[in-house]
Each structure stands twice: as C-alpha cells, then as structure tokens.
C-alpha cells in the first residue's frame, strides 16, 4: 500500500546503504562515517561503529554477520552484538559493491577496481577475481540458489557468471544501453533479473527499471516513470518490484505485468 510504518532513526549525513540482519535488526552506513545497527522492535540503534572514511556499502549474510566498506576500500567485519569491528581486507578506493553469497562462504567486492573479488568473510583471504574489464563495477547480485552472479557496470554492461563451480565461468553479457547499472536484484525463483538504471548521456533511453528473463537473458520489459536515476531496486516474494530514485520517490510495480501500484513520496525536503 505504500503506507508509512515507522521512522527507525537518522544519520548525520547521506545514507549510502542498508541491509536487514535477521528478523530483528537493520544495518545502515553513511557519509557521517558511521555504521549503525538498529533494533527494529524498539526503533533505536543497538550499536554504532565509526569508520575512518565515508561509508560506501554494507552487506549481511542474513544472520548476525555483517561487512561494511568505506571510501578508501577498507572492509570491516562486525556483528549485531557490541563486539569491536575488525579489519577484514583492503580492496582499494571506491568500493561500490558488497554482497554475501547465499551460503555465506564468499563476499563479493566490486567498484573502481573494475573487477569483482571474492574474499573469505572470515579470514579476508582473496579467493578469486572475476569480471575484469575497462568499466567501473556499480552493482552485483547473487541468485538465491547461489549458482549465478550478475555484475553491473557504469557503461551499461551486465555480466552473468556461473559461480556454482570452484572455477567461475562467464555465461553471457546483457546490455542496458550505455546507462549506469546502479542496482541489481534476482527474483526468489531465480527466473528473472531486474536492474535500476540511470541515463547520464543524452537522456534518450531514460531512467528506468529493466527486467530480463533468466537464464536466456531476454529483455522482458522496461518500467518508466522515475524522473531521475534509479539507484535501487528490490523484488518481493509476492511479485512486487520496489524502485528508489534520485527524484525522491519509491515506486511499486507488479512484476508480472509492469503495472504501477503506488508512488511513495518523501514527505520532507
């Protein structure tokens, strides 16, 4: 319905990333150099950790394990308890992507390195580096079965990789038409991929949500309505797509048909 439920809390500057941690907690990271872990039952922060630089990304393995990255590429491991964070790895400046594999055994790290690195979430050891190319990596998403990884770039390329084997294999490349691929999401049954796109060229293609079928990579449809970059996209198990844009709105769509359901506006400037 788009009905506002509750305001959990605030950062002192822009919020760059959020993720659920189990059924009770939410983690967020922002330009105020803070990683905050919130108790959703009481709408207050359980603990706040300070980064040495602006926060860029945060990811959860689904239970208590968390990873956060700052602008300089320092990746820290932390949890929902008040334990001190520890340095997990140094990936270099410009980390844009952190994503745990469904089994929690690999953490995908991407960004201005123009590649995606798999690191061990416990030791920080580099396992493998893939998706090496000329373009900045802006997004990545695992399939729920853990067999596929989609990687999106600034230049509009979306690479699909078979990650079911020890040696990762490229499958195919999709095109978003020179639009920045800010966000990627895979449906719960792993049959479709959605992308949040931003057109920073001439605007002819437009800012949109694009949907491809998997594994064949056929473009199903594009959803238009946002008036600026689509920074984030998510797909519910109940067949609803949510997209968040720089135009200050969140739009809800029916996945099966692309029909608009609701527009949620920011009530504060």
């Amino acid at each position: 319905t788009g009905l506002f439920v509750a305001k959990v809390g605030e950062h002192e500057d822009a919020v760059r990333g959020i993720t659920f941690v189990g059924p009770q907690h939410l983690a967020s990271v922002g330009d105020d150099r803070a990683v905050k872990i919130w108790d959703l039952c009481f709408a207050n922060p359980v603990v706040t950790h300070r980064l040495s630089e602006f926060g860029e990304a945060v990811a959860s393995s689904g239970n208590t394990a968390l990873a956060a990255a700052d602008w300089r590429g320092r990746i820290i491991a932390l949890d929902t308890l008040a334990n001190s964070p520890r340095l997990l790895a140094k990936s270099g400046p410009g980390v844009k992507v952190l994503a745990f594999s469904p089994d929690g055994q690999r953490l995908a790290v991407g960004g201005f390195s123009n590649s995606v690195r798999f690191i061990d979430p416990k030791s920080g050891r580099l396992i493998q580096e893939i998706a090496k190319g000329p373009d900045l990596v802006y997004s990545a998403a695992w399939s729920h079965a853990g067999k596929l990884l989609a990687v999106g770039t600034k230049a509009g390329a979306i690479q699909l990789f078979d990650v079911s084997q020890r040696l990762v294999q490229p499958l195919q490349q999709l095109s978003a038409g020179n639009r920045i691929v800010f966000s990627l999401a895979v449906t719960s049954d792993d049959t479709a991929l959605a992308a949040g796109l931003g057109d920073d060229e001439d605007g002819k293609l437009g800012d949109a949500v694009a949907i491809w079928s998997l594994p064949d990579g056929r473009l199903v449809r594009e959803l238009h309505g946002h008036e600026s970059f689509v920074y984030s996209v998510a797909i519910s198990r109940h067949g609803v797509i949510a997209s968040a844009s720089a135009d200050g709105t969140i739009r809800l769509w029916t996945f099966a048909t692309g029909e608009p359901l609701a527009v949620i506006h920011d009530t504060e400037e």
Side-chain angles (χ1 to χ4, degrees):
T1 64
L3 178 67
F4 176 76
V5 177
K7 183 175 182 178
V8 176
E10 293 183 346
H11 280 260
E12 297 174 1
D13 210 325
V15 178
R16 294 289 180 179
I18 58 172
T19 184
F20 284 104
V21 191
Q24 189 174 335
H25 295 95
L26 181 76
S28 57
V29 65
D31 284 358
D32 57 1
R33 304 184 181 187
V35 180
K36 293 178 180 283
I37 302 171
W38 309 88
D39 188 319
L40 295 176
C41 294
F42 299 99
N44 58 11
V46 176
V47 64
T48 298
H49 296 292
R50 291 291 171 182
L51 302 173
S52 55
E53 296 288 345
F54 298 151
E56 277 292 324
V58 64
S60 165
S61 65
N63 296 313
T64 61
L66 279 167
D70 66 19
W71 171 249
R72 293 293 182 185
R74 286 181 285 261
I75 302 170
I76 63 169
L78 58 157
D79 56 38
T80 55
L81 306 175
N83 296 326
S84 298
R86 60 183 176 85
L87 181 64
L88 185 62
K90 294 181 179 179
S91 184
V95 172
K96 305 292 288 184
V97 174
L98 287 178
F100 280 95
S101 61
D103 62 6
Q105 298 302 305
R106 287 179 286 184
L107 178 64
V109 181
F112 288 7
S113 63
N114 295 12
S115 68
V116 172
R117 297 168 182 168
F118 294 144
I119 65 173
D120 186 315
K122 295 181 179 179
S123 67
R125 177 181 62 86
L126 176 65
I127 299 172
Q128 189 177 4
E129 185 174 19
I130 65 169
K132 295 180 181 179
D135 303 324
L136 307 182
V137 173
Y138 264 62
S139 55
W142 297 82
S143 66
H144 292 264
K147 297 181 179 180
L148 181 106
L149 181 73
V151 177
T153 70
K154 183 179 180 181
I158 300 173
Q159 296 175 283
L160 303 181
F161 293 90
D162 180 355
V163 291
S164 61
Q165 305 298 324
R166 184 175 181 84
L167 181 62
V168 174
Q169 297 291 335
L171 294 175
Q172 63 176 307
Q173 181 168 300
L174 312 178
S175 176
N178 294 321
R179 290 172 289 184
I180 302 172
V181 185
F182 283 109
S183 179
L184 291 168
V186 180
T187 55
S188 59
D189 60 1
D190 293 341
T191 60
L193 173 73
L197 308 176
D199 191 347
D200 68 344
E201 296 294 334
D202 52 17
K204 290 182 178 179
L205 295 176
D207 307 300
V209 176
I211 301 170
W212 290 267
S213 60
L214 295 176
D216 62 340
R218 178 180 60 86
L219 179 65
V220 177
R221 66 176 57 88
E222 290 196 4
L223 309 178
H224 293 269
H226 284 296
E227 297 177 358
S228 190
F229 293 171
V230 180
Y231 281 137
S232 186
V233 64
I235 308 171
S236 80
R237 293 180 179 272
H238 307 293
V240 175
I241 297 178
S243 55
S245 169
D247 64 10
T249 68
I250 297 171
R251 290 179 177 265
L252 304 180
W253 321 77
T254 301
F255 175 79
T257 64
E259 178 185 0
L261 292 175
V263 180
I264 305 170
H265 295 271
D266 187 359
T267 56
E268 300 179 13
E269 290 192 21

